[in-house]
Amino acid sequence: MKKILVTGGCGYIGSHTIADLTENGFDVISVDNNSRSTTHLLEGIEKITGKKVKNYKVDLCDFDDTNAVFEENPDIVGVIHFAAYKAVGESVEKPLLYFENNLVSLINLLKCVASFKVPYFVFSSSCTVYGNPDSIPVTEETPTKQAESPYGYTKQMGEQIITEFAKASGVRSVLLRYFNPAGAHPSALMGEMPLDKPQNLVPVITQSAIGKLPGITVFGDRYPTRDGSCVRDFIHVCDLAHAHTLALQYMIDGKLSGITDIFNLGTGSGITVLEAIRTFEAATGIPANYKIGSNRPGDVIAIYANNDKARRELGWEPKFTLEEIMKTAWAWEQKLQNDEKLFTGKNIRLN
Ligand code: WQD
């Protein structure tokens, strides 16, 4: 079996991707320093796939520790890099934390990829690289604009670093631009696990519904959109995970034209924040408690994907609806609460 290293494997998208890779015949190891995750999701992977996943608790900002993982696993054929901080609002408040963590970790990883001659690299990028696009939906050819947040800058710089690295090293690389990942594994054995107050809309909705949060603040409803709230493209985490497996296989099968390529991973439909809240209510029957607040610095007004290229080149087909995103997210939130009770109140979200 081909061995794949997944960084951030204990995180939300990383864990779902490990499950998908494993179910598609890959042998996967994880590198995750658990600064913003626990190993709880690896237990979920084991229950789903029957396979135990080894996690190296390593900070990628430490080159020697990162290099040691590759020395112990010289048979790695591909790396999928998720490990990064990703909260738009937090990055505006703490820019140096984001530049240091997200860029130093990437550069250390690429040094190891080159020295251990790993042939394939997949990068977790983001639609934030488009900034506030002039026209939507965005294609991969839509020019990237000034990012709206330091988080967005780290993704733009990450793409540039990898593109130049790939040209110089010959390491084939794919940049996957996610839109808004949301939802949870249908088994309710994995899902989004923010360790402290969630930043993203869907976990805020589910934590408000279960009573962990007092309610939802909608960050602005006077934007130039159909109902005044921001527009996003919510993509189910399982659809997103499967795209990584397809992208890796695409490179292994020698289908990558050139040395790097870019793919948008979104559903292709734009949903407003208020529509997302209403979809949660309709999908679960639970009324959402929300109020309108001020705009959040760093927010893009409206963005959603043209995903034709991923459909055509990767054979990728997003399957989950927004209703299923909300239903699976809610089932996971309820499971988490039960697990926390089972652990006699121990908060499983802490290390
Ligand atoms: C979505 C919308 C908020 C919380 C995310 C990830 C980023 C990247 C892109 C993958 C915005 C509004 C939110 C709340 C709200 N994904 N909102 N009240 O900022 O689009 O970026 O997707 O790489 O990593 O962070 O996602 O869920 O924070 O916000 O009104 O309590 O919901 O203003 O319009 P965002 P988000």
Side-chain angles (χ1 to χ4, degrees):
M1 287 194 288
K2 290 183 173 58
K3 182 179 280 187
I4 307 298
L5 186 155
V6 171
T7 74
C10 297
Y12 176 42
I13 309 172
S15 57
H16 286 77
T17 300
I18 291 178
D20 195 275
L21 287 165
T22 305
E23 288 173 335
N24 284 278
F26 288 96
D27 173 26
V28 188
I29 57 172
S30 165
V31 172
D32 194 315
N33 66 356
N34 296 139
S35 63
R36 298 205 168 180
S37 63
T38 67
T39 54
H40 186 66
L41 294 176
L42 297 186
E43 293 159 26
I45 296 171
E46 187 173 356
K47 288 176 188 157
I48 293 165
T49 66
K51 293 272 180 69
K52 197 167 181 51
V53 177
K54 180 176 176 60
N55 179 59
Y56 291 83
K57 190 168 181 176
V58 159
D59 183 348
L60 294 171
C61 289
D62 182 312
F63 175 78
D64 292 339
D65 288 352
T66 304
N67 194 64
V69 176
F70 284 83
E71 279 174 341
E72 192 176 316
N73 297 276
D75 51 345
I76 293 168
V77 299
V79 169
I80 304 183
H81 181 41
F82 293 102
Y85 295 156
K86 60 122 184 159
V88 169
E90 182 188 41
S91 78
V92 173
E93 292 156 21
K94 302 173 185 170
L96 293 184
L97 174 73
Y98 271 68
F99 288 122
E100 181 175 44
N101 183 68
N102 291 6
L103 298 180
V104 171
S105 54
L106 172 63
I107 290 166
N108 283 343
L109 187 63
L110 292 175
K111 285 177 180 174
C112 295
V113 164
S115 61
F116 287 88
K117 301 191 180 351
V118 176
Y120 309 114
F121 188 81
V122 178
F123 179 59
S124 161
S125 190
S126 163
C127 60
T128 41
V129 303
Y130 294 110
N132 258 311
D134 294 332
S135 68
I136 45 179
V138 292
T139 71
E140 291 80 358
E141 285 65 50
T142 299
T144 57
K145 291 177 67 180
Q146 174 165 344
E148 291 293 317
S149 66
Y151 163 76
Y153 276 120
T154 67
K155 291 301 182 182
Q156 286 180 338
M157 294 177 197
E159 290 193 352
Q160 289 162 357
I161 290 167
I162 293 162
T163 302
E164 293 308 316
F165 162 78
K167 275 187 223 165
S169 64
V171 173
R172 276 155 177 66
S173 304
V174 161
L175 312 175
L176 300 179
R177 291 176 178 170
Y178 309 161
F179 284 70
N180 283 61
H185 194 277
S187 66
L189 291 169
M190 292 197 296
E192 197 161 5
M193 271 187 83
L195 292 190
D196 46 28
K197 186 180 178 311
Q199 309 267 331
N200 294 131
L201 179 64
V202 174
V204 165
I205 292 173
T206 57
Q207 286 199 15
S208 301
I210 209 155
K212 278 187 179 295
L213 290 176
I216 305 158
T217 301
V218 173
F219 297 138
D221 71 342
R222 294 175 182 277
Y223 286 104
T225 64
R226 55 179 175 267
D227 64 14
S229 62
C230 291
V231 174
R232 292 291 185 275
D233 181 336
F234 295 95
I235 176 79
H236 194 283
V237 64
C238 290
D239 282 329
L240 203 55
H242 191 53
H244 291 75
T245 304
L246 293 173
L248 204 53
Q249 200 56 58
Y250 180 77
M251 291 193 279
I252 292 168
D253 294 346
K255 294 179 180 168
L256 182 71
S257 56
I259 197 75
T260 52
D261 210 345
I262 298 172
F263 296 96
N264 280 345
L265 297 181
T267 61
S269 66
I271 302 292
T272 72
V273 171
L274 290 169
E275 288 166 351
I277 292 172
R278 277 197 285 278
T279 305
F280 173 82
E281 294 179 314
T284 61
I286 296 175
N289 165 24
Y290 71 89
K291 66 179 187 324
I292 304 297
S294 49
N295 297 0
R296 179 174 71 176
D299 268 343
V300 159
I301 297 168
I303 189 163
Y304 64 97
N306 173 314
N307 62 12
D308 293 347
K309 185 178 174 186
R311 289 173 181 272
R312 185 182 63 247
E313 300 288 327
L314 302 181
W316 181 62
E317 190 66 44
K319 299 194 180 343
F320 289 83
T321 64
L322 186 62
E323 289 72 17
E324 287 163 332
I325 284 177
M326 295 303 180
K327 279 194 172 122
T328 54
W330 176 234
W332 166 249
E333 191 65 63
Q334 292 172 295
K335 178 77 168 44
L336 265 185
Q337 186 177 65
N338 295 337
D339 286 354
E340 280 166 357
K341 282 185 189 138
L342 281 178
F343 280 76
T344 58
K346 172 176 172 285
N347 185 342
I348 56 177
R349 297 178 206 225
L350 299 179
N351 288 334

